[in-house]
Amino acid sequence: MNKSLQPDLLALVRDPIDPRTLIAHVRAAEDGAIVTFDGCVRNHSHGRRTLFLDYEAYESMALLKMREIAGQIHEQFPIHLVAIAHRLGRLEIGETSVFIAVSSAHRPAAFEACRFAIDTLKRTVPIWKKEYFEDGAVWADGEMPPAPLETRTAKPAS
Amino acid sequence: MNKSLQPDLLALVRDPIDPRTLIAHVRAAEDGAIVTFDGCVRNHSHGRRTLFLDYEAYESMALLKMREIAGQIHEQFPIHLVAIAHRLGRLEIGETSVFIAVSSAHRPAAFEACRFAIDTLKRTVPIWKKEYFEDGAVWADGEMPPAPLETRTAKPAS
Amino acid sequence: MAGRTCAGYNSLVSLSSQTARVKVLFFGRLKEIVGHAEDSVELPDGAPIEALFSHYGVNHPELARFRASLVASRNQEFAAWSTPLHSGDEVAFLPPVSGG
Amino acid sequence: MAGRTCAGYNSLVSLSSQTARVKVLFFGRLKEIVGHAEDSVELPDGAPIEALFSHYGVNHPELARFRASLVASRNQEFAAWSTPLHSGDEVAFLPPVSGG
C-alpha cells in the first residue's frame, strides 16, 4: 500500500547527491530503523593517490537494474522503502558516488537490505569508473555481471 | 594515528540529534564507505499505537559502555572512526533516538561494525525506554546485559 | 532516605568491624518501586551487593520478583552479586536495558 | 560509422533473407577502443550477438582480448552471446562494471 503511495526512489544524477533527500524519501512514522550506505571517493586506490574519478553509465539499463534491485529487496526483506542514487560524471575526493537509504520497522532487515543493495549494484548495474592518477588514468577493475547461460543451437558437424 | 587526532565521538544528548554532525565527524578523504544506523521512534509497538517515548540512562556508565563498544569495533573491524549519539528524555514519533555512523576504506567493515555497534548498544548500554500509549505507559521489555560470573565463596554447610 | 544503616546486616557487624558507606542508584521500573533514584547506605565493609539488594527487599517486597532479571553494577561496571562493597562504591541495580 | 553492413555475415544472407538494423553501444574501455559510443549496423535477421561482436573485431583486433571479460546485453537485459538479433534491437557490450 505504501509502495503505491510513495514508491522507491531510483536515480542517476549529475549534481551532488544530498543524502537528506533520500533519507526523507524513505522515512515514515512506522519505521524504527533507517540504514544508509554512503560510497565516497577515496584519495587512494591500490596504493596510488587518486586525483578524481569519472563515472559513466548505460543509463537506461542502469535504471532498470536499480529497479530490479529494489524489487529483489522488497521480496527478500521486510523493509518499507529504499532510495538509491548514483552520481555520474566527474567526482572529486570525498564526494558521494552512491547513496542508499533503507527504512524498516526493525533493524536487521534494514541492514541486510542495504548491504544487499550495494553488493548487487556493484555486480550488476552497468556503471563504469575511470580513476585519474598523477601519472595517468585507468578504468577501474570491475566485476563481471552474471552472464546468462549460452543456449547453443545444435549444429550438425560438417 | 588518526584516532589520536580525531577520536570517536560518543554522546548522550537531550536535544535532537543532527546526523550531519556525526557523519561529518567520521568522514575523511581516506574513507570509501560510511554506513549509518538511524533508530527512530515508531508509531506502534506490539500492535499498539505509541504516543511518545521517554528515555533515561545511567549516564556515566552508559558513556563508559559506549566507549567500550567503540574500542571493540576498532579491535574487530578495519574501520576509521565511529560516532554514536543517544538521545534522552521525551521523544516524539519519528524522532531519532540513536544514531551511529562508521567510516572505513571499504564497505564490509563499515556495515559489520555499525551492526555490531547497535546490537551491542541494545544489550549492554544502561538506557531505558518508557513507552506511552493511549491507555498507559510501560517500561519496554529490555535485554539483560551479560552478567559477570558469580564467584561464590565456599561456605561450610552448617 | 539517605544515611540509613543496612539493617539486615547490622547483626553481622562485630564491634571491631568497619562499616562502608555506598551510593545506590535505581533506574527504570526499580526507581518507581523504591520511590527514589539515589540513596546512600551504610553497611558492613565487604558485604556483597546481594546483601544490599536484600536490604531494600525489607521495605519493598515486590523487588524480589525482579531479582532474576536484574544485573548489578559497581563503579559503572557490571558486577557479580557476590562482589564485596567498600566505602565510596557506587552500586546500581539495572533492569533489562532497552536503549536504541 | 552508421549504416555499415555487417560484412562478415553477408555471405550468410541468402537472397530471400531479411536483414535487421540494430543499434550498438560501447562503454568504458570498449568505447575508447572502437572510437565511438554508438553505432547502427545492418546484419542478417537472427544473427547472434557473437557475430555482431566479431564484426567489430575486423577493424579492432584488440577487442578479442576483452571478449572473455565482457557481457553482452540486448534491449537493456543481459543476453547470451548466442541471442539472435532482430530489427530495432539495442545491443551493448559491457566491460566489468565498477559502479558504487
Side-chain angles (χ1 to χ4, degrees):
Chain A
M1 283 200 306
N2 283 300
K3 273 188 270 177
S4 61
L5 290 175
Q6 187 200 30
D8 300 323
L9 182 151
L10 305 162
L12 295 170
V13 299
R14 297 205 162 258
D15 295 321
I17 294 171
D18 184 352
R20 285 174 299 175
T21 310
L22 281 82
I23 292 166
H25 186 91
V26 301
R27 190 180 189 117
E30 72 239 53
D31 301 320
I34 296 168
V35 171
T36 72
F37 173 78
D38 182 340
C40 28
V41 180
R42 274 201 313 274
N43 61 5
H44 64 283
S45 178
H46 299 290
R48 286 204 285 172
R49 194 161 83 85
T50 306
L51 299 181
F52 62 92
L53 300 182
D54 197 72
Y55 283 93
E56 71 171 50
Y58 182 5
E59 298 195 28
S60 57
M61 183 172 173
L63 282 168
L64 282 173
K65 288 287 149 195
M66 286 160 73
R67 186 154 297 284
E68 262 183 44
I69 293 172
Q72 290 170 322
I73 285 176
H74 282 291
E75 258 174 44
Q76 292 180 35
F77 310 99
I79 66 148
H80 175 215
L81 286 171
V82 59
I84 308 177
H86 201 297
R87 193 162 158 206
L88 302 177
R90 175 171 166 153
L91 272 81
E92 308 298 330
I93 304 302
E95 287 195 301
T96 293
S97 54
V98 60
F99 194 92
I100 301 176
V102 179
S103 59
S104 178
H106 301 285
R107 72 186 185 284
F111 269 108
E112 287 156 26
C114 190
R115 178 77 185 264
F116 177 89
I118 183 61
D119 287 354
T120 309
L121 181 149
K122 282 179 165 268
R123 279 191 307 109
T124 67
V125 177
I127 297 177
W128 298 272
K129 170 169 69 176
K130 196 166 189 176
E131 301 177 303
Y132 287 81
F133 301 102
E134 281 162 332
D135 56 351
V138 297
W139 289 99
D141 293 335
E143 298 195 50
M144 260 191 87
L149 283 180
E150 298 294 332
T151 51
R152 297 200 167 275
T153 313
K155 285 184 184 176
S158 59
Chain B
M1 285 199 302
N2 283 300
K3 273 189 268 178
S4 61
L5 291 174
Q6 186 200 31
D8 300 323
L9 182 150
L10 305 161
L12 296 169
V13 299
R14 297 204 163 260
D15 294 322
I17 293 170
D18 184 352
R20 285 175 299 175
T21 311
L22 282 81
I23 292 166
H25 186 91
V26 301
R27 190 181 189 117
E30 72 239 52
D31 301 320
I34 296 168
V35 171
T36 73
F37 173 78
D38 182 340
C40 28
V41 180
R42 274 202 314 273
N43 61 5
H44 63 283
S45 178
H46 299 291
R48 287 205 285 172
R49 194 161 84 85
T50 306
L51 299 181
F52 62 91
L53 300 182
D54 198 71
Y55 282 93
E56 71 171 50
Y58 181 5
E59 296 194 29
S60 57
M61 183 172 173
L63 282 168
L64 282 174
K65 287 288 150 194
M66 285 159 73
R67 188 155 295 285
E68 261 182 44
I69 292 172
Q72 291 170 322
I73 285 176
H74 282 291
E75 259 173 45
Q76 293 181 35
F77 310 100
I79 66 148
H80 175 215
L81 286 170
V82 58
I84 309 177
H86 202 297
R87 193 161 159 209
L88 303 177
R90 174 170 167 154
L91 273 81
E92 309 298 331
I93 304 302
E95 287 195 300
T96 293
S97 54
V98 60
F99 194 90
I100 301 175
V102 179
S103 59
S104 177
H106 300 285
R107 70 186 187 284
F111 269 107
E112 286 156 26
C114 190
R115 179 76 185 266
F116 176 90
I118 182 62
D119 287 355
T120 309
L121 182 148
K122 283 183 165 264
R123 279 191 307 108
T124 66
V125 178
I127 296 178
W128 298 272
K129 170 169 70 175
K130 196 166 188 175
E131 301 177 302
Y132 288 80
F133 301 103
E134 281 163 334
D135 57 352
V138 296
W139 289 100
D141 293 334
E143 297 195 51
M144 262 190 84
L149 284 179
E150 298 294 332
T151 51
R152 297 198 168 279
T153 314
K155 284 183 186 177
S158 59
Chain C
M1 306 281 278
R4 297 174 310 170
T5 297
C6 186
Y9 278 75
N10 277 349
S11 57
L12 297 179
V13 186
S14 75
L15 288 175
S16 63
S17 280
Q18 292 197 305
T19 59
R21 178 162 293 279
V22 302
K23 184 175 169 183
V24 190
L25 303 173
F26 299 96
F27 293 97
R29 209 187 297 270
L30 292 192
K31 182 173 68 177
E32 291 176 352
I33 293 171
V34 176
H36 51 269
E38 196 175 324
D39 200 3
S40 174
V41 171
E42 205 171 285
L43 73 173
D45 185 62
I49 291 177
E50 182 80 61
L52 181 61
F53 187 73
S54 301
H55 158 67
Y56 288 99
V58 174
N59 288 324
H60 307 285
E62 64 271 46
L63 281 179
R65 199 156 56 88
F66 295 102
R67 168 63 176 82
S69 67
L70 295 182
V71 172
S73 72
R74 177 180 156 274
N75 300 335
Q76 293 92 49
E77 284 296 339
F78 296 118
W81 291 88
S82 55
T83 307
L85 295 173
H86 305 289
S87 256
D89 281 351
E90 179 175 291
V91 176
F93 297 111
L94 312 172
V97 300
S98 51
Chain D
M1 307 281 278
R4 296 176 310 170
T5 297
C6 186
Y9 278 77
N10 277 346
S11 57
L12 297 178
V13 187
S14 76
L15 287 175
S16 62
S17 280
Q18 292 196 306
T19 58
R21 178 162 293 280
V22 302
K23 184 174 170 185
V24 189
L25 303 173
F26 299 96
F27 293 97
R29 208 187 299 268
L30 290 193
K31 183 173 67 178
E32 293 174 352
I33 292 172
V34 175
H36 51 269
E38 196 176 323
D39 200 3
S40 175
V41 171
E42 204 171 286
L43 74 174
D45 184 61
I49 292 178
E50 182 80 62
L52 181 61
F53 187 73
S54 302
H55 159 66
Y56 288 98
V58 174
N59 288 325
H60 308 285
E62 65 271 47
L63 281 178
R65 199 156 56 89
F66 295 101
R67 169 65 177 76
S69 67
L70 294 182
V71 172
S73 72
R74 178 180 154 273
N75 299 337
Q76 293 92 49
E77 285 296 340
F78 295 119
W81 291 88
S82 55
T83 307
L85 296 174
H86 304 289
S87 254
D89 280 351
E90 179 176 291
V91 176
F93 297 111
L94 313 171
V97 300
S98 52

